[in-house]
């Protein structure tokens, strides 16, 4: 049995960011459990051709760890993975990592007021638990009749099978979301043909940017102040983007016009353009960035099937529109199970309820981080913590800072969220989201819980607004003693 003050579960950006925040707050008594063999989360698991961030690299990293060596405006996935490994070393976290150590269950021990976490190598007892298990972690496999009859290579974009050479093969790709727009242009270069199944097109705006030169990288390394200024400028650009994503009529109309002009400039065929034009409000689904997707789809290398994949009959893919397409390999770029996280089934709080049961109507929290009925428990990048307009890392940093601050105030006691604080925070989110395109834009998006129709994934504001909201959390969100402790 291992005894620690804080057990962090997950070693992606959130887990590493949390561990760094604890260390900087002078806390040493923690471990980071990671079920995989290395850190990196998203950037370890997603290795498909073309994988990259779609937020500028200099904003998609920790403020305390600027990286002068990014290869370009949008870093490749392998670079981001390597960056996270370097942060682990720079922060001296290596000896805190417990790799290949999944949290199998976590129970609140009411008598001793500690958490017990089951792992394959024994039980860990912790005063506090930070769930940093991710939200785009579990591939969503579509329920398509006959999928198991497909005779060729078949895998999800987040579990790319590098043993399979797709060069010269006819490849089916299902989905036209964020991963597909990156991987389709790459596949189109080498596959014999790509058949792309599109249930619903995305709004796509120009990506721009490009590679950094050696001179750029030398300049960044020689003058760290320049990276700080660049990050600040990218932060402001991101915050300004919020208006167009959240339904400001003027900003959304301008951004939509830019997207339509981009489509028109890159796709000559009016019928194909029509098939690629969304019929829902700009911002309703994640707006994608690509300069290569439309040209690839417009080329002879790709056939767009403007219809969902309905069924599979051996090598024959049958679309919902009845068309049939024979392929040799099939890639599911179908996204992730986002609203119902498997980790929630593993955690039992003080009323004997699992987190999944508490969240049966969709995720709820106070400060997007703490949950009533789950003492001394923190969830990073979970309920209402993701962004459609800027870098997730900014939110993770705010949540980690809040968690470290609250743990400081804990002073050995138990933090119990007042259910009224959670419910008031949920009402704030509902009110802020009510008239946004995420709720009213006429699309089905992964920000909204399908059971309650409530916005549960996305934070419906700017990063500045999140920071300000967390700054207003003065401790009154926790129950006073004897139920909890005054903080
Ligand atoms: C292809 C792709 C591209 C993206 N691009 C961007 C982008 O450009 N900008 C942006 O802001 N966001 C982007 N995202 C979102 C991205 O997920 C976040 O930015 C960020 O990486 C999430 O970090 P995380 O630590 O919260 O989660 P993850 O990176 O998913 O890490 C969670 C970790 O927890 C581990 N874990 C889960 N359950 C357990 C358990 N029971 N026990 C032990 N370990 C466990 C997992 O193995 C994983 O390592 C992208 C996502 C994907 C999939």
């Amino acid at each position: 049995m291992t005894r620690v003050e804080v057990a962090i579960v997950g070693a992606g950006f959130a887990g590493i960011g949390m561990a760094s925040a604890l260390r900087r707050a002078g806390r040493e008594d923690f471990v980071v459990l990671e079920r995989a063999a290395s850190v990196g989360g998203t950037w370890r698991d997603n290795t498909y051709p073309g994988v990259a961030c779609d937020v500028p690299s200099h904003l998609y990293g920790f403020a305390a760890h600027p990286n002068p060596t990014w290869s370009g405006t949008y870093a490749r996935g392998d670079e981001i993975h390597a960056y996270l490994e370097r942060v682990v070393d720079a922060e001296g976290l290596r000896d805190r990592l417990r790799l290949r150590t999944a949290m199998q269950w976590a129970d609140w021990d009411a008598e001793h007021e500690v958490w017990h976490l089951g792992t394959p190598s024994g039980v860990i007892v912790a005063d506090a638990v930070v769930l940093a298990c991710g939200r785009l972690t579990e591939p969503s496999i579509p329920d398509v009749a006959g999928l198991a009859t497909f005779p060729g290579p078949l895998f999800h974009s987040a579990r790319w099978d590098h043993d399979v050479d797709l060069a010269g093969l006819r490849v089916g790709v299902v989905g036209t979301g964020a991963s597909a727009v990156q991987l389709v242009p790459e596949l189109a270069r080498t596959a014999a043909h790509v058949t792309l199944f599109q249930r619903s097109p995305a709004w796509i705006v120009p990506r721009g940017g490009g590679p950094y030169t050696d001179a750029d990288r030398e300049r960044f390394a020689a003058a760290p102040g320049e990276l700080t200024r660049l990050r600040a400028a990218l932060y402001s650009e991101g915050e300004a983007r919020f208006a167009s994503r959240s339904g400001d009529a003027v900003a959304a109309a301008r951004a939509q016009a830019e997207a339509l002009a981009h489509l028109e400039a890159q796709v000559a065929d009016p019928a194909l353009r029509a098939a690629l034009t969304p019929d829902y409000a700009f911002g309703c689904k994640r707006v994608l960035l690509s300069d290569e997707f439309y040209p690839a789809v417009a080329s002879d290398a790709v056939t767009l099937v403007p219809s969902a994949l309905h069924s599979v009959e051996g090598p024959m893919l049958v679309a919902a529109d009845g068309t049939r397409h024979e392929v040799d390999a099939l890639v599911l770029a179908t996204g992730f199970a986002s609203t119902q996280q498997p980790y929630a089934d593993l955690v039992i709080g003080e009323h004997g309820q699992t987190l999944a049961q508490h969240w049966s109507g969709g995720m709820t929290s106070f400060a997007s981080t703490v949950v009533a009925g789950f003492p001394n428990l923190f969830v990073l990048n979970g309920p209402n913590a993701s962004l459609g307009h800027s870098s997730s890392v900014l939110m993770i940093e705010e949540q980690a800072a809040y968690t470290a601050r609250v743990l400081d105030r804990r002073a050995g006691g138990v933090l119990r969220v007042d259910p009224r604080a959670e419910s008031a925070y949920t009402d704030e989110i509902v009110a802020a989201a009510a008239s946004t395109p995420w709720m009213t834009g006429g699309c089905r998006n992964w920000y909204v819980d399908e059971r309650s129709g409530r916005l549960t994934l996305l934070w419906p504001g700017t990063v500045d607004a999140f920071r300000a909201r967390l700054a207003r959390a003065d401790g009154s969100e926790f129950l006073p003693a004897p139920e909890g402790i005054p903080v």
Side-chain angles (χ1 to χ4, degrees), residues 403-434:
T403 302
R405 194 164 79 230
V406 164
L407 282 174
D408 264 353
R409 289 177 178 162
R410 187 179 77 87
V414 176
L415 295 161
R416 289 192 165 83
V417 181
D418 187 335
R420 288 165 300 188
E422 178 170 309
S423 149
Y425 187 81
T426 305
D427 290 347
E428 283 174 38
I429 304 267
V430 168

Side-chain angles (χ1 to χ4, degrees), residues 209 221 240 269 295 347 360 389 406 470-471 473:
D269 174 3
V347 181
S360 60
H389 72 286
V406 164
L470 264 49

Side-chain angles (χ1 to χ4, degrees), residues 9-15 33-36 40-44 46 48 51-55 60 101-103 132-137 179 286 336 346 381 390-392 396:
V9 187
F13 263 107
L33 311 182
E34 169 54 58
R35 64 185 174 188
T42 290
W43 305 103
R44 176 199 62 232
N46 287 267
Y48 58 78
V51 61
C53 54
D54 62 7
V55 161
Y60 193 64
T101 306
M103 173 190 78
C133 301
R135 64 183 152 81
L136 303 180
T137 313
S179 300
R286 188 176 176 86
F336 300 87
L346 308 178
N381 203 11
S390 192
S391 168
S392 296
I396 287 169

Side-chain angles (χ1 to χ4, degrees), residues 292-311:
E292 298 192 324
F293 179 70
Y294 287 148
V297 175
S299 76
D300 292 342
V302 177
T303 298
L304 179 78
V305 181
S307 174
L309 175 63
H310 172 265
S311 53

Side-chain angles (χ1 to χ4, degrees), residues 112-466:
H112 303 100
E113 301 197 310
V114 288
W115 284 96
H116 288 201
L117 285 78
T119 81
S121 45
V123 172
I124 294 177
V125 179
D127 293 329
V129 172
V130 179
L131 297 173
C133 301
R135 64 183 152 81
L136 303 180
T137 313
E138 311 301 324
S140 162
I141 307 297
D143 187 14
V144 170
L147 198 57
T149 68
F150 187 73
L154 189 174
F155 46 84
H156 189 275
S157 55
R159 302 287 182 271
W160 199 266
D161 186 345
H162 292 277
D163 291 338
V164 176
D165 183 4
L166 296 176
L169 299 187
R170 296 167 301 170
V171 183
V173 176
V174 185
T176 49
S179 300
V181 301
Q182 294 185 336
L183 68 87
V184 165
E186 298 293 326
L187 282 184
R189 281 189 245 286
T190 55
H193 195 73
V194 175
T195 302
L196 177 60
F197 291 81
Q198 172 190 268
R199 191 173 53 189
S200 158
W203 285 108
I204 301 179
V205 293
R207 183 167 100 139
Y212 288 127
T213 62
D214 286 343
D216 290 329
R217 281 187 284 273
E218 278 163 27
R219 205 178 65 245
F220 292 147
E226 187 164 344
L227 278 188
T228 313
R229 280 191 294 281
L230 178 55
R231 186 178 169 98
L234 293 170
Y235 179 88
S236 301
E237 274 172 33
E239 292 290 81
R241 228 174 359 252
F242 178 73
S244 67
R245 305 299 193 262
S246 59
D248 175 278
V250 174
R254 198 181 305 127
Q256 177 168 323
E258 185 192 23
L260 289 172
H262 187 46
L263 175 60
E264 179 137 7
Q266 294 198 313
V267 179
D269 174 3
L272 184 57
R273 264 204 318 264
L276 289 165
T277 304
D279 62 358
Y280 55 83
F282 189 85
C284 184
K285 287 182 191 227
R286 188 176 176 86
V287 175
L288 307 182
L289 280 73
S290 179
D291 298 330
E292 298 192 324
F293 179 70
Y294 287 148
V297 175
S299 76
D300 292 342
V302 177
T303 298
L304 179 78
V305 181
S307 174
L309 175 63
H310 172 265
S311 53
V312 177
E313 297 170 8
M316 194 65 76
L317 307 182
V318 184
D321 64 10
T323 56
R324 298 166 71 82
H325 309 266
E326 190 172 339
V327 299
D328 306 309
L330 184 53
V331 173
L332 303 175
T334 41
F336 300 87
S338 55
T339 52
Q340 296 181 52
Q341 293 293 337
Y343 65 76
D345 286 312
L346 308 178
V347 181
I348 300 182
E350 66 177 339
H351 308 305
Q353 251 197 345
T354 63
L355 200 47
Q357 286 166 335
H358 182 70
W359 285 346
S360 60
M363 294 191 281
T364 51
S365 68
F366 175 82
S368 303
T369 311
V370 286
V371 184
F374 296 81
N376 289 353
L377 181 101
F378 303 83
V379 189
L380 301 194
N381 203 11
N384 298 107
S386 61
L387 297 178
H389 72 286
S390 192
S391 168
S392 296
V393 182
L394 300 168
M395 297 293 280
I396 287 169
E397 288 180 314
E398 292 304 321
Q399 291 188 284
Y402 169 80
T403 302
R405 194 164 79 230
V406 164
L407 282 174
D408 264 353
R409 289 177 178 162
R410 187 179 77 87
V414 176
L415 295 161
R416 289 192 165 83
V417 181
D418 187 335
R420 288 165 300 188
E422 178 170 309
S423 149
Y425 187 81
T426 305
D427 290 347
E428 283 174 38
I429 304 267
V430 168
S435 58
T436 62
W438 311 308
M439 302 302 297
T440 63
C443 77
R444 209 171 82 188
N445 64 47
W446 53 262
Y447 304 140
V448 171
D449 192 283
E450 52 282 13
R451 295 163 298 178
S452 59
R454 199 159 42 71
L455 187 81
T456 55
L457 259 298
L458 204 66
W459 164 248
T462 58
V463 182
D464 280 344
F466 189 62

